[in-house]
Amino acid sequence: MWAPVAFGGGCAVYFALKSEPPAWPLLLAALIAAALWLGARRLALGRVWTLPLLMLACFALGFAVAKLRTDAVAAPIAPAMAEPTVVEGWVVDVDSPGSAGPRVVIAPVRIRGLTPEQTPVRLRATVRGETPAPGQAVRLFAILNPPPAPASPGAYDFGRNAFFQSLGGVAFSLGETRPAYLTPPPWRVRAAMAVNGMRFALARRIVARLGDRTGGIAAAMTTGQEAWLNPDDVDVMRDSGLAHILSISGLHMAVVGGFAFFLVRLLVAAWPWLALRVPGKKVAAIGGLLAVGTYLVVSGAPPPAERAAITASIAFLAILLDRQAITMHALAVAAFVVLLLQPEAIVTPGFQMSFAATAALVALVEAWPRRPKEISAPLPILIVQRAGAWLAAAVLASLVAGAATGPFAMQHFNRTAMYGLASNLATAPVSDFLIMPMLALGALLEPLGLGGPFLWLAGQGIGLMLAIGAWTAGLPGAVRTVASAPDLVLPISFLGVLFCCLWRGPLRWLGLPFAAAVMLWPRAPTPDVWIGDGGTNAAWVQAGQTMVMRPGVRQFAVDVWSRRRGLLPQERPSEGWTCTRFACAPEAPAAGPLALWWGKKAPSPEQIDALCRAAPVVSARAALTALPPSCDGRLVLDGVDYARGGAVELWRDGPPSAGRWRAVWAAAMRGDRPWSRFGDPDVSDSGG
């Protein structure tokens, strides 16, 4: 069962590299390691030799598979275009809306200024006006950029995830979307548009039935379409620890597949003639497989749903092969299959959290004591016993799953819902036994016009879930912000969690302190200054708070950096600052350590002189050709630095009078990889 752990370790090491390795040495190393393991097995050298060689072979194979996957999905990435251009293409899907408006995924046919070889396979475009539906041919006058870079050194890299989805750029439309007249697209694009068009139409019908608020959540849970989600409701779900319900993943696949399994098995058992002639359990497993496959298509097959569908399918296949469905071996096979198909999943929070939680729950099932069956107990006693057993199982399951996913939530999202256990326990019966089954039946029957009653019941459950979430999110101290630990700590926690789950016997608890490493590890000193990608916004730390230079500008990046450092963003004081249309500088050293010029045009010598006299750190978005004498002893960063390095964090090195600073750039943390490009942050999508 440690083989997929070693395989995933090889994948993770590949993505941790700062430069791209060649393929042939990795393939050769994998072949040699596999040959050594097979040779040791044939010679019957024993587990002392074969087990380490197996781990080495899996590690080398994971390394090689990750490289092959990168080469296989490589596609053009859009350059940062200084001038607006014309994009013509087919709307493949409707994406979740951003702060600037609705977004769609486009398969571009022509982009003015780019050759066919330079044209990305897919673009994510922010549009104005009415959102075009999948299947429409559109023409946009837009600014084009590569996918956005990390908001701060070591932060979430949207560009890497976009690379493996063939999403080669982001566009920001400057005008209304217009129809285009294009030749028919390839059959793969037509098939994707047909499926996504069906999903979008179903989501619209659900919203029309239930209204924007509950219908938006129902549509997101059923089809993955998030266009109707209310941002306030999303914040409530996040602060109460219920946000995972909105993302189609393991919980949804388990409920839908399990509901179909038990429904088919019940129907077979209710027909005596059929029950005597077919194996009901295996027929139900086939029904579960069909339900999972159908739900995967209806949901749009996002990567988390694909991973959950693979895991659920292996459980149903185990039933068809007369094997136990819920075992560590089945989970190990699922992990192997997922990583073979998507090795990039190893660095995503969804994979890490879902498999850690599943492994912890399977370990709980294996360790759960088997209670002797009652012979003739009265019904009231049986009801009390069953209710108590269910409550104990629900509490333990939530505790175990929360403990297993806690390190990843702290490291990736930097927030902890303090009452998440209570809200999940309260909503679990509603979600598992009312919302998801009724949504499944409602979505199935809605194309026939018969889904109304089932969707209404699901809407009542969603309303109750929102009420529970709002109550827990409003409690004092409902959310706690936690700074990220150093990058090395998360793998330590992951291995600790896996050791607790995979090892048999009391020695498994040796992994507990390692599993808690993210919580216990000392945090690095907080940077004194952060300057965003391109120098368009900045913040500094004062009295344990983040003081934001330009509140509301690139707020997503500000929030990401603040949370990673365990801080809450605060608006810069209006007094003590001299600000113009393109610049802001402190009037006294106590006001702040930074002067910022965010205009695209370079400042004049007089303007840069005033900035250097005002603060020890001067940031200019434009490239500077010359500096006045007043800039001596100042740290001056300009557009050339940001084009090369992206966002930057600064630590004061020594006393303030020394004027020495230490810098860490996002590009240095990101490395020179196929997905590493920087664009204009003013027109790049936030990636949120």
Side-chain angles (χ1 to χ4, degrees), residues 34-46 49-51 53-54:
L36 289 173
W37 170 62
L38 291 173
R41 289 200 60 177
R42 287 186 65 87
L43 295 174
L45 296 181
W49 289 94
T50 57
L51 189 59
L53 288 175
L54 172 62

Side-chain angles (χ1 to χ4, degrees), residues 399-660:
L399 280 173
V400 167
T405 58
F408 308 98
M410 291 180 184
Q411 185 73 0
H412 292 297
F413 306 118
N414 308 110
R415 59 194 303 151
T416 301
M418 304 306 293
Y419 307 109
L421 174 61
S423 58
N424 277 279
L425 284 175
T427 57
V430 179
S431 174
D432 296 350
F433 301 116
L434 177 62
I435 297 176
M436 289 305 303
M438 293 302 102
L439 284 179
L441 290 173
L444 183 65
L445 298 175
E446 183 59 24
L448 303 176
L450 304 176
F454 303 101
L455 293 176
W456 181 85
L457 287 172
Q460 300 306 304
I462 290 172
L464 178 59
M465 180 179 68
L466 286 174
I468 294 172
W471 182 74
T472 53
L475 293 175
V479 181
R480 181 180 177 185
T481 302
V482 182
S484 294
D487 293 339
L488 178 65
V489 180
L490 188 62
I492 295 174
S493 283
F494 205 171
L495 290 175
V497 170
L498 292 175
F499 190 88
C500 290
C501 297
L502 300 183
W503 201 266
R504 303 296 177 89
L507 288 180
R508 67 173 23 162
W509 301 116
L510 293 177
L512 196 58
F514 297 95
V518 167
M519 184 172 58
L520 302 176
W521 203 279
R523 271 34 178 183
T526 304
D528 295 287
V529 175
W530 165 81
I531 306 175
D533 182 19
T536 55
N537 202 356
W540 72 97
V541 178
Q542 180 176 308
Q545 291 184 326
T546 299
M547 311 304 295
V548 183
M549 182 73 78
R550 302 175 67 195
V553 176
R554 301 207 69 215
Q555 192 61 41
F556 177 78
V558 172
D559 292 341
V560 168
W561 177 76
S562 300
R563 289 199 308 267
R564 275 181 55 80
R565 295 303 177 182
L567 304 169
L568 295 176
Q570 302 289 332
E571 186 173 343
R572 168 187 54 80
S574 57
E575 298 181 357
W577 289 83
T578 301
C579 297
T580 64
R581 183 180 177 186
F582 299 113
C584 221
E587 296 176 355
L594 175 69
L596 184 69
W597 175 275
W598 58 83
K600 289 187 176 182
K601 185 179 179 181
S604 65
E606 294 77 14
Q607 290 170 325
I608 193 65
D609 176 73
L611 295 174
C612 285
R613 293 180 184 278
V617 177
V618 176
S619 170
R621 179 179 179 181
L624 303 177
T625 56
L627 297 176
S630 58
C631 292
D632 293 343
R634 307 295 198 192
L635 175 62
V636 181
L637 304 174
D638 68 352
V640 177
D641 299 309
Y642 298 122
R644 182 173 57 244
V648 64
E649 292 177 327
L650 301 173
W651 286 263
R652 198 185 297 271
D653 196 359
S657 59
R660 296 175 60 87

Side-chain angles (χ1 to χ4, degrees), residues 6-7 9-15 17 20-31 56-72 339-340 343:
F7 186 90
C11 299
V13 169
Y14 167 79
F15 288 107
L17 297 178
E20 191 66 18
W24 70 265
L26 304 182
L27 292 173
L28 182 61
L31 289 173
L56 178 62
C58 289
F59 180 87
L61 184 62
F63 209 136
V65 166
K67 171 60 179 175
L68 293 177
R69 167 75 170 165
T70 299
D71 292 345
L339 290 174
L340 277 170

